[in-house]
Amino acid sequence: MRVLLVDDEESILVPLEFLLKKGGHEVVLARTGEEALRALEEGGFALVVLDLMLPGLDGFAVLEALREKPSRPKVLVLTARGREADRAKAMALGAEAFMTKPFSTRALMEEVRRLLGEG
């Protein structure tokens, strides 16, 4: 399945890309909210792993744009912003899951599999 990984930190992108590819997924990377929206225009994504703190358009703006799409991928927010208000806002905007950094790679991959119906 195709996964869009959106984060501006290479230290997150590189290992997550490796893990997702190892799990059999096709991975597309975006480092800004604008790049994420351009990639989403192509369609075909089953999941978006989305950071909230991005240069330019933030993750909340990406979530708002996704709300307008008739068929949209599931969204797992992965962020250092762990306040309950951030979680509530992300979920209200349509995110299916919310995890905070730092995170366990095992827990993240379990959540990805759950969201994609892989186990």
Side-chain angles (χ1 to χ4, degrees):
M1 295 200 186
R2 264 180 110 202
V3 176
L4 177 61
L5 180 53
V6 187
D7 203 302
D8 61 327
E9 295 178 50
E10 288 296 314
S11 62
I12 298 291
L13 284 175
V14 172
L16 284 186
E17 179 183 22
F18 174 79
L19 280 172
L20 290 164
K21 284 183 174 180
K22 186 177 174 186
H25 303 289
E26 178 187 340
V27 180
V28 175
L29 303 178
R31 289 169 176 81
T32 67
E34 292 84 358
E35 283 181 21
L37 293 179
R38 281 194 298 274
L40 287 162
E41 286 301 315
E42 297 172 16
F45 292 100
L47 177 68
V48 178
V49 178
L50 177 65
D51 187 14
L52 293 178
M53 297 185 298
L54 299 167
L57 291 176
D58 67 9
F60 290 122
V62 173
L63 279 168
E64 286 179 22
L66 278 171
R67 286 177 68 170
E68 308 299 318
K69 304 235 177 265
S71 64
R72 64 185 254 342
K74 294 189 177 186
V75 178
L76 165 60
V77 170
L78 181 64
T79 183
R81 294 178 66 154
R83 296 180 324 167
E84 186 55 37
D86 294 322
R87 176 186 301 270
K89 183 175 180 180
M91 300 305 269
L93 289 171
E96 282 79 15
F98 189 99
M99 294 182 74
T100 56
K101 299 174 187 173
F103 57 93
S104 152
T105 55
R106 191 188 75 192
L108 176 76
M109 292 309 292
E110 287 174 2
E111 193 65 15
V112 166
R113 284 190 293 276
R114 184 187 72 78
L115 290 169
L116 295 177
E118 297 175 342

